[in-house]
Amino acid sequence: MQLATINGIVLHHRLTGAPSSGPVVVLINSLGTDFRIWDDVVSRLAGDCATLVYDKRGHGLSGLGDAPASIATHAADLAALLDHLAISQAVICGLSIGGLIALDLHATRPDLVGALVLSDTAHKIGTPQSWNERIEIAKTVGIAGFAYGIMEKWFTPAFHAARPDELTAYRTMLVRQPVDGYVAACEALRSADMTEQARRVSVPTICVVGDQDGSTPPALVRALADLVPGARCEIVADAGHIPCVEQPDAFAALLGAFIVSSSKRG
C-alpha cells in the first residue's frame, strides 16, 4: 500500500512503472469512486508509460481533513503529491470531477502538466440546486438513496444486462464512500466554474466522452472542447459516464495514441 501525508491528510495512491522510463500518466477518479476504476486501463498501458492513480481527498482510503471543499483544494493535493513523488511533468487525465481538478492544476501549476485528457467532464457540471438536492439526500438518507439512479448514468443498459456482478460491485463502491467526503466533493462541484481556466489551456488536450453518458452528455463535453484551444472531442461507443470501466480497450487506445501524438508536438 502506497501512502503519503499530503497537505495534512493521508493520500492513498499507486505509482506503477518507473517515471524515468517514459511519460507519466496521472489518472484522477470521479465522484463516488476510488482509483480501482482505472485498473483495466493501467494494465493496458503497462510497459508504455508509468501511471499514477490516487484516491482524492475524502474518497477511498484517503483522508478528508478540514481544508475548504473546493476544486482548488483537490488540485493543490495533486500538485503536492506529484512534488512528493518527484514527478516534474505528467499527462493529466481526469474523469468527471477529475477533469475540473486537471484544469485547475494546469491553471495553478502549469509546470506539472504536459498534456490534458478531459474525460466525461465539463467546465461546469450541474446547478447549485441539483447539487444541493444531492447533498441533502446524502446527509439524510445516505448515498444509497440515489445509488441506483447513479448507476443508470454511469453505465449503459447493455452493461446492466450483461455485467450484473460488476454493476453490483460498483454500486457497492459508491455507497461505501464516506458521506462527508462525498458531500465535500459535491460542495466543490456546486461552486466550480472552470470556463476561464479552459480558455487558457496551453497544452495538447483531448476531450473524451461515452456516447451514452448520462451525467455529462456528449454535447456538454463538446462544449468544453470548443473552449479549449486546439482540443478535439472523441466519442467512446457503447459507454456511459465511466468508459474506462465499460470500454477499457477503446479508452486505453485513445489515451495511448494521444500520448504519442502529444509527445511529438512537445
Side-chain angles (χ1 to χ4, degrees):
M1 186 181 297
Q2 299 175 38
L3 303 167
T5 299
I6 301 293
N7 294 337
I9 63 166
V10 173
L11 280 184
H12 180 217
H13 61 283
R14 185 178 68 210
L15 178 61
T16 304
S20 60
S21 65
V24 179
V25 180
V26 179
L27 301 161
I28 314 171
N29 57 300
S30 54
L31 175 66
T33 66
D34 60 47
F35 70 52
R36 288 174 293 180
I37 66 169
W38 296 109
D39 284 353
D40 288 341
V41 170
V42 168
S43 66
R44 285 160 174 78
L45 295 177
D48 295 326
C49 58
T51 55
L52 173 65
V53 294
Y54 72 105
D55 292 338
K56 64 183 171 292
R57 181 181 290 256
H59 283 63
L61 300 183
S62 292
L64 176 59
D66 56 4
S70 69
I71 298 299
T73 293
H74 289 289
D77 289 341
L78 177 53
L81 179 61
L82 291 171
D83 288 342
H84 171 78
L85 296 171
I87 297 172
S88 58
Q89 192 176 83
V91 175
I92 309 296
C93 175
L95 174 63
S96 196
I97 187 176
L100 300 175
I101 295 168
L103 285 168
D104 197 274
L105 181 70
H106 174 271
T108 55
R109 287 291 305 274
D111 58 299
L112 293 173
V113 182
L116 286 171
V117 180
L118 305 174
S119 176
D120 301 80
T121 189
H123 47 291
K124 185 172 179 59
I125 301 175
T127 65
Q129 179 180 352
S130 67
W131 289 118
N132 285 337
E133 290 172 354
R134 180 86 63 88
I135 289 167
E136 180 63 21
I137 296 172
K139 286 181 174 180
T140 57
V141 178
I143 296 173
F146 48 76
Y148 284 109
I150 295 296
M151 293 299 104
E152 292 177 352
K153 296 179 178 181
W154 280 9
F155 302 114
T156 64
F159 185 95
H160 282 244
R163 298 161 68 176
D165 290 348
E166 290 178 74
L167 183 70
T168 298
Y170 282 106
R171 181 183 177 277
T172 299
M173 176 186 287
L174 172 63
V175 300
R176 286 184 179 174
Q177 291 297 314
V179 171
D180 53 355
Y182 188 90
V183 166
C186 290
E187 291 171 346
L189 284 162
R190 180 179 61 191
S191 59
D193 186 341
M194 294 289 147
T195 303
E196 292 306 313
Q197 289 88 337
R199 287 175 173 150
R200 296 184 185 129
V201 169
S202 59
V203 297
T205 302
I206 185 174
C207 297
V208 180
V209 62
D211 64 345
Q212 298 173 58
D213 187 333
S215 295
T216 53
L220 186 59
V221 180
R222 287 193 189 99
L224 171 61
D226 289 342
L227 286 174
V228 176
R232 73 178 193 271
C233 185
E234 295 284 352
I235 309 296
V236 178
D238 304 317
H241 188 56
I242 311 185
C244 55
V245 166
E246 196 158 7
Q247 299 295 342
D249 287 330
F251 192 94
L254 277 172
L255 184 52
F258 175 70
I259 292 168
V260 171
S261 66
S262 62
S263 65
K264 289 179 180 178
R265 288 174 60 181

